[in-house]
Amino acid sequence: MAPAEPNALPFRPKGETPHFAEEKEGWKGYVEWEEFPEKKKQAQEVLKRYDFPEPPEFQLTPLPTTNPVLTGERWKQYHSALGLSHIFHHSWETVLQEKSPDMTHILQFPYNGEPPGDRLIKTELTNNKDHFVRNHGGIPDIDPAKWTLDIGGLVKNPRKLTLAQLQDERTFPRQSNIVTLQCSGTRRIEQIHEYPGDGDELINAPWGEGAISTARWTGVSLKRVIKYCGGLVDDKGADNIEFYGADTYFKKGGVHNYVVSVPWRKVKAHEVLLAWDMNGEQLPRIHGFPVRVVVFGYIGARSVKWLYKVRAIHRPSMAPVQRKEYLYYAPQIGKQNARYSNGFSIQDMPVSSAIITPKKMDHIVHEGRVRLAGWAYSGGGHWPVRVEVSGDGGSIWYEVPAENMSTKYFYAWRTWWVDLPVDAEGWLEMCVRCWDNAMNTQPTFVRSAWNWDLHVTSSAHRVKIYSINKSRPNTAARLKQLEENNTPIVPITRPIHFDLETDEEYAKAMELRAWRDPLE
């Protein structure tokens, strides 16, 4: 699939398209914005000249059945207006090179994609080609020999490190952890279907159950790097660590680098890793090569890719991604009254789970048991201890046997499966919930989890299936009859072309029912 071209820009100013030079040799696709206020202002003035298209409507109307589902035309046009169209072309080429061909491309640019569900839960560790991707900008291409990391702000001895210095085990002992990363938009499609919210396709992409993956990440603890810089300045109140990513990000007409922060206490616990290795392989470009941040148990948005700067600061970052995005609002907050200050910042990920198989609207022929499989996760230093499933919408719950759950890790999910007893036929609602080691569990219904920005769909996951129980004699007889007539049972919506019973069978059955009308 070739990169989709941006629509014709609705307005082109007189003269040539502005050129914003790449800052460093060997750093393709990286433009520094944060250090140059005048350049940011110039870019903002350029963007003002254009009448960019409105976001596509994907909540009040059915989602496109295309792949990519959404193409991100506005974001392509933002880049084109600034002379940066090569970034989205290179980004899509990287997707095609580094990700599995059957990924669901939720958003083509900036790239957001999730793998097929059955493969997602096949193994404890997600294959690099299948690991979900949630990008906020284009994919830089950085020469590792030219890469450097600036450590500054409220540290005693600011330093600039090369990749070779960071990987020198005499200075920085290696750390390796199995960590699940999860986008706060995981399962957002459930909120969209029932209770739509903010419709920005970049911030609120219509994710399914696959915006979560697990890998073994190897690198160095950020705490050791800060210690190498002399530690924090004691009397300046440094209590947050800010990360800068080399991708270009747009917000409300402004242009930025991707910048977020985490509390210092997270770093002190050795729960922030500067990683260059993913599942024993070199970190892929699409996942942040040469070096990225991995924050254990936090929303994936804090795990910055293409890291180039770390700053110790007082209070959380004032950058737009930290201050204006990933906010969790109360249920009565919406377009009519939302402010950045009346939502709280999402950090620890709550307990959550999903049924991956069967899929929504599946028609299942079985003999009294239906196999369910999925994942369960809890962030913030917690872990899943019990998974329960229900075949009746949540009245009766069955515990998944411990031997059917994957290995228990401090910072990772557990995949699971269970053969659920199912006697009933017809439409049933399967659901799953998880309990973590702190006895946290999930809200019962999606309405309880609704918020204006549609983040963190943490309610019990529900999947409607059609049950056909061939352990029942009448059903077994009908299945045999269908087979003899070369008529499939699925899909159930396809009509049966032969009579459902003979005249004699009908009369016999009606005698037992005393026919249609009362005797008197």
Side-chain angles (χ1 to χ4, degrees):
M1 186 185 301
E5 295 291 338
N7 295 329
L9 290 169
F11 173 77
R12 183 173 296 282
K14 294 180 180 179
E16 296 183 0
T17 301
H19 175 66
F20 292 96
E22 295 170 339
E23 308 298 326
K24 300 179 181 180
E25 181 185 356
W27 291 53
K28 297 178 181 178
Y30 160 61
V31 179
E32 176 58 46
W33 302 104
E34 302 308 315
E35 290 188 8
F36 303 108
E38 287 302 316
K39 183 164 66 174
K40 289 179 74 170
K41 184 177 179 181
Q42 181 188 356
Q44 189 170 5
E45 291 301 317
V46 171
L47 294 173
K48 284 182 179 178
R49 301 173 190 169
Y50 292 84
D51 183 18
F52 292 107
E54 292 294 321
E57 180 54 69
F58 62 92
Q59 297 195 32
L60 300 177
T61 60
L63 274 178
T65 57
T66 54
N67 192 23
V69 180
L70 302 173
T71 57
E73 296 308 311
R74 285 189 304 145
W75 301 88
K76 295 174 186 177
Q77 292 188 18
Y78 294 157
H79 282 72
S80 293
L82 299 182
L84 303 174
S85 60
H86 62 285
I87 291 179
F88 65 75
H89 288 293
H90 169 73
S91 295
W92 184 239
E93 290 169 0
T94 303
V95 172
L96 299 180
Q97 291 168 7
E98 295 192 346
K99 303 312 293 182
S100 294
D102 55 354
M103 293 281 285
T104 297
H105 309 305
I106 304 294
L107 181 64
Q108 186 184 39
F109 185 78
Y111 185 68
N112 287 227
E114 61 182 275
D118 54 351
R119 211 161 60 238
L120 174 66
I121 61 169
K122 189 175 182 179
T123 55
E124 288 184 359
L125 301 186
T126 312
N127 184 286
N128 288 358
K129 285 182 172 292
D130 288 336
H131 198 289
F132 90 98
V133 179
R134 197 282 185 254
N135 287 341
H136 295 78
I139 301 170
D141 190 358
I142 302 172
D143 181 348
K146 303 291 186 180
W147 178 85
T148 57
L149 176 64
D150 289 309
I151 312 293
L154 301 177
V155 296
K156 292 179 180 178
N157 300 308
R159 294 179 182 268
K160 184 188 293 286
L161 299 174
T162 66
L163 184 59
Q165 289 173 315
L166 194 66
Q167 293 179 336
D168 186 344
E169 292 190 75
R170 295 169 299 179
T171 306
F172 302 117
R174 297 282 166 88
Q175 181 173 321
S176 183
N177 297 89
I178 292 176
V179 178
T180 292
L181 294 182
Q182 182 182 20
C183 177
S184 69
T186 309
R187 296 176 43 205
R188 176 176 285 129
I189 194 66
E190 297 163 50
Q191 294 195 60
I192 289 174
H193 282 164
E194 295 196 41
Y195 309 101
D198 188 284
D200 186 317
E201 76 273 31
L202 172 68
I203 304 306
N204 299 320
W207 290 102
E209 300 82 42
I212 182 172
S213 298
T214 301
R216 177 174 285 282
W217 307 93
T218 300
V220 59
S221 168
L222 179 57
K223 182 180 180 182
R224 296 186 184 277
V225 177
I226 298 294
K227 183 179 180 180
Y228 180 73
C229 296
L232 302 182
V233 178
D234 297 330
D235 59 350
K236 299 296 184 180
D239 51 16
N240 281 264
I241 304 297
E242 191 174 48
F243 308 123
Y244 287 65
D247 41 339
T248 290
Y249 178 76
F250 295 87
K251 180 67 177 179
K252 303 292 187 185
V255 60
H256 313 267
N257 295 110
Y258 188 84
V259 181
V260 296
S261 64
V262 299
W264 169 241
R265 65 178 181 274
K266 195 74 176 170
V267 178
K268 283 200 301 183
H270 291 288
E271 292 181 345
V272 179
L273 194 66
L274 305 186
W276 54 77
D277 184 287
M278 181 179 180
N279 287 329
E281 300 176 0
Q282 176 180 282
L283 188 67
R285 284 177 297 165
I286 199 168
H287 288 289
F289 178 81
V291 174
R292 69 168 297 161
V293 179
V294 178
V295 183
F296 306 173
Y298 264 27
I299 178 178
R302 309 301 178 226
S303 292
V304 173
K305 297 186 272 293
W306 312 292
L307 182 71
Y308 70 94
K309 184 188 295 185
V310 175
R311 293 177 67 243
I313 58 175
H314 179 49
R315 296 200 175 97
S317 173
M318 292 295 286
V321 180
Q322 187 76 31
R323 184 164 62 97
K324 301 178 180 180
E325 308 290 5
Y326 299 105
L327 303 174
Y328 199 89
Y329 290 108
Q332 294 193 47
I333 300 294
K335 190 173 184 177
Q336 73 280 6
N337 58 2
R339 297 172 177 264
Y340 302 130
S341 57
N342 61 9
F344 65 78
S345 185
I346 303 168
Q347 300 280 55
D348 289 337
M349 290 303 289
V351 61
S352 59
S353 60
I355 298 169
I356 299 300
T357 58
K359 295 179 172 60
K360 177 183 176 183
M361 308 301 281
D362 274 357
H363 309 153
I364 301 175
V365 180
H366 60 91
E367 294 183 330
R369 289 184 177 271
V370 173
R371 176 160 293 191
L372 276 60
W375 56 259
Y377 174 64
S378 188
H382 298 133
W383 56 89
V385 294
R386 188 166 76 210
V387 174
E388 297 172 336
V389 295
S390 172
D392 62 0
S395 294
I396 299 174
W397 295 91
Y398 295 81
E399 182 178 357
V400 174
E403 60 269 25
N404 294 0
M405 297 177 66
S406 64
T407 309
K408 193 184 302 179
Y409 296 104
F410 279 109
Y411 306 110
W413 69 2
R414 302 181 74 180
T415 58
W416 57 268
W417 65 270
V418 65
D419 289 327
L420 179 67
V422 176
D423 178 62
E425 295 191 288
W427 284 109
L428 303 177
E429 188 173 62
M430 306 292 181
C431 54
V432 61
R433 69 184 180 192
C434 173
W435 295 82
D436 71 12
N437 63 303
M439 295 302 294
N440 299 308
T441 193
Q442 301 171 243
T444 304
F445 299 104
V446 70
R447 185 69 181 90
S448 303
W450 184 86
N451 60 99
W452 170 240
D453 275 351
L454 308 175
H455 291 300
V456 192
T457 310
S458 58
S459 53
H461 186 222
R462 296 170 179 272
V463 175
K464 292 182 176 65
I465 67 157
Y466 192 86
S467 166
I468 302 165
N469 186 354
K470 64 180 182 180
S471 69
R472 292 186 170 190
N474 288 343
T475 298
R478 172 55 53 83
L479 290 171
K480 181 179 179 182
Q481 189 180 23
L482 289 167
E483 183 179 4
E484 290 170 348
N485 283 273
N486 294 316
T487 302
I489 184 67
V490 295
I492 59 169
T493 50
R494 186 174 299 168
I496 295 175
H497 63 270
F498 54 83
D499 275 337
L500 304 184
E501 58 187 338
T502 65
D503 291 345
E504 292 77 10
E505 290 170 334
Y506 177 82
K508 184 177 180 181
M510 293 309 294
E511 284 289 345
L512 292 174
R513 296 172 182 271
W515 295 91
R516 298 291 190 193
D517 297 321
L519 182 61
E520 60 176 86

